[in-house]
């Protein structure tokens, strides 16, 4: 089975959802994920929640990392969660949020199904480690 | 076949995942492709179960150098197919880092025209450093999309080298994108990509130099037709195709008076078409789809399509056998102490690689020879 195991690679979708046009953080994380040996699909800017869901389902990603800097996370994230559930993809997708999220919103996001929120200043290594430890084993 | 199905009939119940896929579940389709990519345990059963449901989709390969506009064009092609009421599957193959195995699969960004439309199923795949396996995985993923019911499947890949060419071989029609700038066409000849193209696409044809590129391509195709008897003869062996007849301008009716072979050979020669597009504006996409259709009709009418299908399956069987036999032999190596021991002996000049190979292959050879004797 060792040959089979080698073929496996953690697949991530790094997504920008909503209207903010700041994707430097998303680029940095995409590159860091790549260098960690993950397969990264980058969504591009200004995606609607349903577009993110479509990409996450079709690409069958293990990890969905959403970067939001606009403050609209409380409306956008639930839509993504809902969409993933609709396709039966929510259960085994590790959902991460990065960006500027006020502390008081973090708990609520987690209750909605976000596994972790990574704010500004998070070490890349910390995020990568989190993915390695928590990416669903299928 | 998995252990529990060995006792019963071979193809009784399809795996649950396949039933879901056939019922139109996107998640199941995505999961099947993942298993194919990962070579996950049981993936072979899945692909086996898919086979009987395949054969309806038309598969187009799109290849060309980085920056030639493949993704943008594929996006527009998908949009045009949708306008014509057809469902679409796209497999976008990107290279992976040879160092970390990681990859950024960026083609999806440009697939903007059909976003939100689940009848366009876009899947990114990376080479995963496993060069030989990529073409097999791509071909199997095509089967999944075909069985799912996609009418058209597009395989998109960077056209650099043997591996990429192998990938697009899974396609019925291959389009090669050529950016408009002089010199490129000569480079392509070197890469041997001329032989693989059924349709040349001069994309970004609004740029300077497009006319010249078209002209150069036309000249090259004419030249190819001139030397076609040679090329055809060369291809005759491996592909089993009929050799072309006396020349491109012989009268078909005249051929009819001759042998059947001559007629088939005459018609079986497809002259690659050249289509100019501006993918960003969607210009020429119509014409390109018509060119694909013309090629498809041509190969169907001349029997070339059946031939290609047979060649593909023959190749597939051989590839699987090679992989499986290699797997068996790996186990034999492990059983006998691992490759290092053999290497030590070779380095010490106690034996040589040929002898080692002979030795390891022994049990297999004996078995095959025994069976041959038993049947005599």
């Amino acid at each position: 089975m060792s040959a089979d195991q080698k073929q496996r690679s953690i697949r991530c979708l790094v997504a920008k959802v909503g209207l903010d046009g700041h994707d430097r953080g998303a680029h940095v994380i995409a590159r860091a994920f790549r260098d960690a040996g993950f397969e990264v699909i980058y969504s591009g800017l200004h995606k609607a929640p349903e577009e993110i869901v479509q990409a996450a389902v079709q690409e069958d990603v293990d990890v969905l990392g959403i970067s939001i800097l606009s403050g609209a996370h409380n409306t956008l994230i639930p839509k993504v969660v809902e969409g993933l559930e609709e396709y039966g993809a929510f259960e085994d997708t590790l959902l991460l949020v990065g960006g500027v999220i006020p502390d008081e919103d973090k708990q609520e996001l987690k209750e909605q199904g976000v596994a972790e929120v990574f704010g500004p200043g998070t070490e890349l290594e910390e995020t990568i480690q989190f993915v390695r430890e928590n990416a669903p084993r299928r | 076949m998995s252990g529990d199905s060995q006792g019963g009939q071979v193809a009784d119940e399809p795996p649950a995942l396949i039933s879901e896929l056939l019922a139109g579940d996107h998640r199941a389709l995505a999961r099947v492709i993942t298993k194919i990519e990962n070579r996950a345990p049981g993936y072979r059963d899945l692909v086996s179960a898919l086979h009987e449901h395949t054969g309806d989709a038309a598969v187009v390969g799109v290849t060309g150098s980085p920056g030639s506009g493949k993704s943008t064009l594929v996006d527009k092609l998908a949009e045009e197919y949708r306008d014509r009421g057809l469902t679409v599957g796209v497999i976008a193959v990107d290279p992976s880092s040879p160092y970390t195995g990681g990859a950024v699969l960026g083609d999806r960004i440009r697939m903007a025209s059909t976003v939100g439309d689940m009848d366009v199923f876009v899947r990114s795949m990376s080479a995963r450093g496993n060069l030989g396996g990529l073409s097999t995985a791509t071909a199997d993923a095509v089967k999944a999309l075909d069985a799912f019911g996609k009418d058209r499947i597009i395989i998109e890949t960077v056209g650099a080298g043997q591996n990429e060419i192998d990938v697009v071989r899974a396609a019925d029609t291959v389009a090669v994108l050529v950016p408009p700038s002089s010199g490129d066409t000569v480079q392509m000849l070197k890469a041997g990509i001329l032989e693989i193209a059924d349709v040349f696409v001069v994309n970004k044809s609004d740029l300077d130099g497009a006319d010249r590129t078209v002209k150069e391509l036309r000249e090259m195709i004419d030249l190819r037709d001139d030397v076609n008897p040679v090329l055809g003869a060369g291809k005759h062996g491996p592909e089993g195709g009929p050799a072309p007849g006396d020349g491109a301008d012989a009268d078909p009716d005249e051929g009819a008076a001759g042998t059947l072979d001559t007629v088939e050979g005459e018609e079986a020669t497809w002259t690659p078409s050249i289509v100019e597009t501006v993918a960003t504006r969607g210009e020429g996409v119509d014409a390109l789809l018509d060119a694909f259709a013309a090629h498809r009709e041509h190969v169907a009418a001349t029997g070339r399509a059946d031939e290609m299908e047979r060649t593909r399956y023959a190749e597939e069987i051989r590839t699987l056998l090679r992989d499986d036999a290699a797997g068996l032999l790996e186990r034999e190596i492990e059983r006998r102490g691992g490759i290092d021991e053999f290497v030590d002996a070779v380095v010490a000049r106690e034996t040589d690689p040929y002898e080692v190979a002979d030795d390891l292959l022994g049990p297999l050879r004996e078995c095959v020879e025994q069976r041959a004797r038993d049947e005599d």
Side-chain angles (χ1 to χ4, degrees), chain B residues 120-148:
Chain B
V120 178
F121 192 102
V122 182
R123 184 58 181 249
S124 317
M125 284 173 83
S126 91
R128 297 209 174 166
N130 180 350
L131 294 182
L134 179 64
S135 48
T136 312
T138 314
D140 288 345
V142 166
K143 287 181 193 172
L145 289 166
D146 188 350
F148 185 82

mmCIF file of all heavy atoms in Angstrom, chain B residues 120-148:
data_model
loop_
_atom_site.group_PDB
_atom_site.id
_atom_site.type_symbol
_atom_site.label_atom_id
_atom_site.label_comp_id
_atom_site.label_asym_id
_atom_site.label_seq_id
_atom_site.Cartn_x
_atom_site.Cartn_y
_atom_site.Cartn_z
ATOM 1 N N VAL B 120 -21.280 22.477 -15.919
ATOM 2 C CA VAL B 120 -19.871 22.514 -16.313
ATOM 3 C C VAL B 120 -19.081 22.033 -15.100
ATOM 4 O O VAL B 120 -19.056 22.699 -14.071
ATOM 5 C CB VAL B 120 -19.420 23.926 -16.713
ATOM 6 C CG1 VAL B 120 -17.939 23.923 -17.068
ATOM 7 C CG2 VAL B 120 -20.231 24.426 -17.884
ATOM 8 N N PHE B 121 -18.486 20.883 -15.227
ATOM 9 C CA PHE B 121 -17.754 20.309 -14.100
ATOM 10 C C PHE B 121 -16.259 20.456 -14.363
ATOM 11 O O PHE B 121 -15.711 19.804 -15.245
ATOM 12 C CB PHE B 121 -18.124 18.835 -13.929
ATOM 13 C CG PHE B 121 -17.649 18.236 -12.635
ATOM 14 C CD1 PHE B 121 -18.519 18.041 -11.577
ATOM 15 C CD2 PHE B 121 -16.319 17.879 -12.463
ATOM 16 C CE1 PHE B 121 -18.076 17.489 -10.387
ATOM 17 C CE2 PHE B 121 -15.874 17.333 -11.273
ATOM 18 C CZ PHE B 121 -16.754 17.141 -10.232
ATOM 19 N N VAL B 122 -15.624 21.345 -13.615
ATOM 20 C CA VAL B 122 -14.202 21.620 -13.822
ATOM 21 C C VAL B 122 -13.391 20.925 -12.750
ATOM 22 O O VAL B 122 -13.661 21.082 -11.558
ATOM 23 C CB VAL B 122 -13.913 23.130 -13.770
ATOM 24 C CG1 VAL B 122 -12.429 23.391 -14.030
ATOM 25 C CG2 VAL B 122 -14.756 23.872 -14.782
ATOM 26 N N ARG B 123 -12.401 20.173 -13.155
ATOM 27 C CA ARG B 123 -11.570 19.503 -12.179
ATOM 28 C C ARG B 123 -10.097 19.777 -12.484
ATOM 29 O O ARG B 123 -9.641 19.561 -13.592
ATOM 30 C CB ARG B 123 -11.839 18.008 -12.236
ATOM 31 C CG ARG B 123 -11.094 17.200 -11.206
ATOM 32 C CD ARG B 123 -11.428 17.659 -9.794
ATOM 33 N NE ARG B 123 -10.677 16.874 -8.843
ATOM 34 C CZ ARG B 123 -11.224 15.995 -8.012
ATOM 35 N NH1 ARG B 123 -12.519 15.845 -7.961
ATOM 36 N NH2 ARG B 123 -10.467 15.300 -7.189
ATOM 37 N N SER B 124 -9.376 20.256 -11.477
ATOM 38 C CA SER B 124 -7.938 20.494 -11.638
ATOM 39 C C SER B 124 -7.176 19.259 -11.189
ATOM 40 O O SER B 124 -7.496 18.657 -10.169
ATOM 41 C CB SER B 124 -7.496 21.677 -10.787
ATOM 42 O OG SER B 124 -8.413 22.740 -10.876
ATOM 43 N N MET B 125 -6.174 18.876 -11.969
ATOM 44 C CA MET B 125 -5.341 17.749 -11.573
ATOM 45 C C MET B 125 -3.884 18.156 -11.663
ATOM 46 O O MET B 125 -3.518 18.931 -12.527
ATOM 47 C CB MET B 125 -5.591 16.545 -12.501
ATOM 48 C CG MET B 125 -6.884 15.834 -12.219
ATOM 49 S SD MET B 125 -7.248 14.543 -13.436
ATOM 50 C CE MET B 125 -6.290 13.204 -12.793
ATOM 51 N N SER B 126 -3.060 17.630 -10.772
ATOM 52 C CA SER B 126 -1.635 17.933 -10.873
ATOM 53 C C SER B 126 -0.878 16.667 -11.226
ATOM 54 O O SER B 126 -1.371 15.559 -11.043
ATOM 55 C CB SER B 126 -1.106 18.519 -9.568
ATOM 56 O OG SER B 126 -0.633 17.493 -8.738
ATOM 57 N N ALA B 127 0.310 16.864 -11.729
ATOM 58 C CA ALA B 127 1.101 15.723 -12.196
ATOM 59 C C ALA B 127 1.564 14.861 -11.025
ATOM 60 O O ALA B 127 1.861 13.692 -11.187
ATOM 61 C CB ALA B 127 2.285 16.213 -13.006
ATOM 62 N N ARG B 128 1.622 15.453 -9.846
ATOM 63 C CA ARG B 128 2.026 14.730 -8.632
ATOM 64 C C ARG B 128 3.362 14.024 -8.768
ATOM 65 O O ARG B 128 3.591 13.003 -8.134
ATOM 66 C CB ARG B 128 0.965 13.706 -8.229
ATOM 67 C CG ARG B 128 -0.338 14.376 -7.891
ATOM 68 C CD ARG B 128 -1.131 13.606 -6.900
ATOM 69 N NE ARG B 128 -2.304 14.380 -6.530
ATOM 70 C CZ ARG B 128 -3.337 13.896 -5.884
ATOM 71 N NH1 ARG B 128 -3.346 12.639 -5.529
ATOM 72 N NH2 ARG B 128 -4.335 14.658 -5.577
ATOM 73 N N GLY B 129 4.205 14.554 -9.594
ATOM 74 C CA GLY B 129 5.530 13.967 -9.733
ATOM 75 C C GLY B 129 5.517 12.547 -10.265
ATOM 76 O O GLY B 129 6.546 11.938 -10.462
ATOM 77 N N ASN B 130 4.322 12.031 -10.524
ATOM 78 C CA ASN B 130 4.214 10.673 -11.017
ATOM 79 C C ASN B 130 3.941 10.738 -12.506
ATOM 80 O O ASN B 130 2.816 10.687 -12.958
ATOM 81 C CB ASN B 130 3.073 9.964 -10.284
ATOM 82 C CG ASN B 130 2.920 8.539 -10.755
ATOM 83 O OD1 ASN B 130 3.523 8.133 -11.746
ATOM 84 N ND2 ASN B 130 2.109 7.778 -10.061
ATOM 85 N N LEU B 131 5.020 10.876 -13.270
ATOM 86 C CA LEU B 131 4.850 11.198 -14.678
ATOM 87 C C LEU B 131 4.084 10.122 -15.439
ATOM 88 O O LEU B 131 3.142 10.401 -16.133
ATOM 89 C CB LEU B 131 6.221 11.435 -15.316
ATOM 90 C CG LEU B 131 6.919 12.672 -14.751
ATOM 91 C CD1 LEU B 131 8.234 12.897 -15.448
ATOM 92 C CD2 LEU B 131 6.042 13.897 -14.859
ATOM 93 N N GLY B 132 4.510 8.878 -15.264
ATOM 94 C CA GLY B 132 3.878 7.824 -16.038
ATOM 95 C C GLY B 132 2.405 7.672 -15.734
ATOM 96 O O GLY B 132 1.605 7.351 -16.601
ATOM 97 N N GLY B 133 2.035 7.917 -14.463
ATOM 98 C CA GLY B 133 0.671 7.648 -14.046
ATOM 99 C C GLY B 133 -0.330 8.705 -14.452
ATOM 100 O O GLY B 133 -1.519 8.455 -14.429
ATOM 101 N N LEU B 134 0.174 9.873 -14.829
ATOM 102 C CA LEU B 134 -0.743 10.982 -15.071
ATOM 103 C C LEU B 134 -1.695 10.689 -16.224
ATOM 104 O O LEU B 134 -2.886 10.944 -16.126
ATOM 105 C CB LEU B 134 0.044 12.264 -15.344
ATOM 106 C CG LEU B 134 -0.828 13.484 -15.622
ATOM 107 C CD1 LEU B 134 -1.661 13.824 -14.407
ATOM 108 C CD2 LEU B 134 0.022 14.673 -16.015
ATOM 109 N N SER B 135 -1.157 10.142 -17.292
ATOM 110 C CA SER B 135 -2.016 9.912 -18.443
ATOM 111 C C SER B 135 -3.077 8.858 -18.124
ATOM 112 O O SER B 135 -4.216 8.963 -18.568
ATOM 113 C CB SER B 135 -1.189 9.509 -19.659
ATOM 114 O OG SER B 135 -0.277 8.501 -19.314
ATOM 115 N N THR B 136 -2.712 7.871 -17.325
ATOM 116 C CA THR B 136 -3.687 6.866 -16.908
ATOM 117 C C THR B 136 -4.773 7.508 -16.048
ATOM 118 O O THR B 136 -5.971 7.279 -16.260
ATOM 119 C CB THR B 136 -3.008 5.743 -16.090
ATOM 120 O OG1 THR B 136 -1.847 5.321 -16.785
ATOM 121 C CG2 THR B 136 -3.935 4.573 -15.908
ATOM 122 N N ALA B 137 -4.350 8.316 -15.092
ATOM 123 C CA ALA B 137 -5.316 8.964 -14.195
ATOM 124 C C ALA B 137 -6.237 9.892 -14.984
ATOM 125 O O ALA B 137 -7.440 9.940 -14.733
ATOM 126 C CB ALA B 137 -4.584 9.746 -13.105
ATOM 127 N N THR B 138 -5.666 10.624 -15.944
ATOM 128 C CA THR B 138 -6.490 11.527 -16.745
ATOM 129 C C THR B 138 -7.516 10.732 -17.545
ATOM 130 O O THR B 138 -8.699 11.076 -17.580
ATOM 131 C CB THR B 138 -5.612 12.341 -17.711
ATOM 132 O OG1 THR B 138 -4.490 12.834 -17.016
ATOM 133 C CG2 THR B 138 -6.382 13.508 -18.284
ATOM 134 N N ALA B 139 -7.057 9.662 -18.181
ATOM 135 C CA ALA B 139 -7.962 8.854 -18.994
ATOM 136 C C ALA B 139 -9.083 8.268 -18.130
ATOM 137 O O ALA B 139 -10.250 8.228 -18.554
ATOM 138 C CB ALA B 139 -7.193 7.738 -19.683
ATOM 139 N N ASP B 140 -8.742 7.851 -16.915
ATOM 140 C CA ASP B 140 -9.760 7.306 -16.020
ATOM 141 C C ASP B 140 -10.740 8.380 -15.559
ATOM 142 O O ASP B 140 -11.935 8.123 -15.416
ATOM 143 C CB ASP B 140 -9.093 6.637 -14.806
ATOM 144 C CG ASP B 140 -8.409 5.332 -15.179
ATOM 145 O OD1 ASP B 140 -8.692 4.815 -16.277
ATOM 146 O OD2 ASP B 140 -7.591 4.832 -14.388
ATOM 147 N N ALA B 141 -10.218 9.588 -15.326
ATOM 148 C CA ALA B 141 -11.097 10.691 -14.926
ATOM 149 C C ALA B 141 -12.056 11.040 -16.062
ATOM 150 O O ALA B 141 -13.218 11.374 -15.828
ATOM 151 C CB ALA B 141 -10.267 11.910 -14.523
ATOM 152 N N VAL B 142 -11.561 10.948 -17.292
ATOM 153 C CA VAL B 142 -12.425 11.176 -18.453
ATOM 154 C C VAL B 142 -13.571 10.161 -18.450
ATOM 155 O O VAL B 142 -14.725 10.505 -18.702
ATOM 156 C CB VAL B 142 -11.617 11.094 -19.772
ATOM 157 C CG1 VAL B 142 -12.536 10.979 -20.978
ATOM 158 C CG2 VAL B 142 -10.714 12.309 -19.916
ATOM 159 N N LYS B 143 -13.248 8.919 -18.108
ATOM 160 C CA LYS B 143 -14.293 7.888 -18.054
ATOM 161 C C LYS B 143 -15.363 8.249 -17.035
ATOM 162 O O LYS B 143 -16.551 8.034 -17.269
ATOM 163 C CB LYS B 143 -13.686 6.538 -17.676
ATOM 164 C CG LYS B 143 -12.887 5.915 -18.789
ATOM 165 C CD LYS B 143 -12.345 4.567 -18.336
ATOM 166 C CE LYS B 143 -11.298 4.081 -19.321
ATOM 167 N NZ LYS B 143 -10.612 2.889 -18.833
ATOM 168 N N ALA B 144 -14.920 8.786 -15.894
ATOM 169 C CA ALA B 144 -15.879 9.167 -14.851
ATOM 170 C C ALA B 144 -16.828 10.245 -15.368
ATOM 171 O O ALA B 144 -18.044 10.166 -15.168
ATOM 172 C CB ALA B 144 -15.145 9.643 -13.603
ATOM 173 N N LEU B 145 -16.271 11.242 -16.054
ATOM 174 C CA LEU B 145 -17.108 12.330 -16.583
ATOM 175 C C LEU B 145 -18.035 11.810 -17.683
ATOM 176 O O LEU B 145 -19.195 12.206 -17.777
ATOM 177 C CB LEU B 145 -16.219 13.458 -17.136
ATOM 178 C CG LEU B 145 -15.464 14.281 -16.086
ATOM 179 C CD1 LEU B 145 -14.382 15.128 -16.747
ATOM 180 C CD2 LEU B 145 -16.419 15.172 -15.312
ATOM 181 N N ASP B 146 -17.500 10.919 -18.502
ATOM 182 C CA ASP B 146 -18.269 10.316 -19.591
ATOM 183 C C ASP B 146 -19.454 9.528 -19.018
ATOM 184 O O ASP B 146 -20.612 9.721 -19.429
ATOM 185 C CB ASP B 146 -17.319 9.404 -20.393
ATOM 186 C CG ASP B 146 -17.947 8.867 -21.665
ATOM 187 O OD1 ASP B 146 -19.172 9.030 -21.840
ATOM 188 O OD2 ASP B 146 -17.223 8.274 -22.489
ATOM 189 N N ALA B 147 -19.166 8.676 -18.050
ATOM 190 C CA ALA B 147 -20.226 7.863 -17.454
ATOM 191 C C ALA B 147 -21.259 8.728 -16.748
ATOM 192 O O ALA B 147 -22.450 8.420 -16.735
ATOM 193 C CB ALA B 147 -19.627 6.865 -16.465
ATOM 194 N N PHE B 148 -20.801 9.830 -16.180
ATOM 195 C CA PHE B 148 -21.709 10.759 -15.492
ATOM 196 C C PHE B 148 -22.711 11.347 -16.486
ATOM 197 O O PHE B 148 -23.803 11.752 -16.114
ATOM 198 C CB PHE B 148 -20.887 11.877 -14.844
ATOM 199 C CG PHE B 148 -21.689 12.836 -14.007
ATOM 200 C CD1 PHE B 148 -22.022 12.528 -12.704
ATOM 201 C CD2 PHE B 148 -22.103 14.059 -14.534
ATOM 202 C CE1 PHE B 148 -22.758 13.415 -11.927
ATOM 203 C CE2 PHE B 148 -22.834 14.950 -13.766
ATOM 204 C CZ PHE B 148 -23.164 14.628 -12.465
#
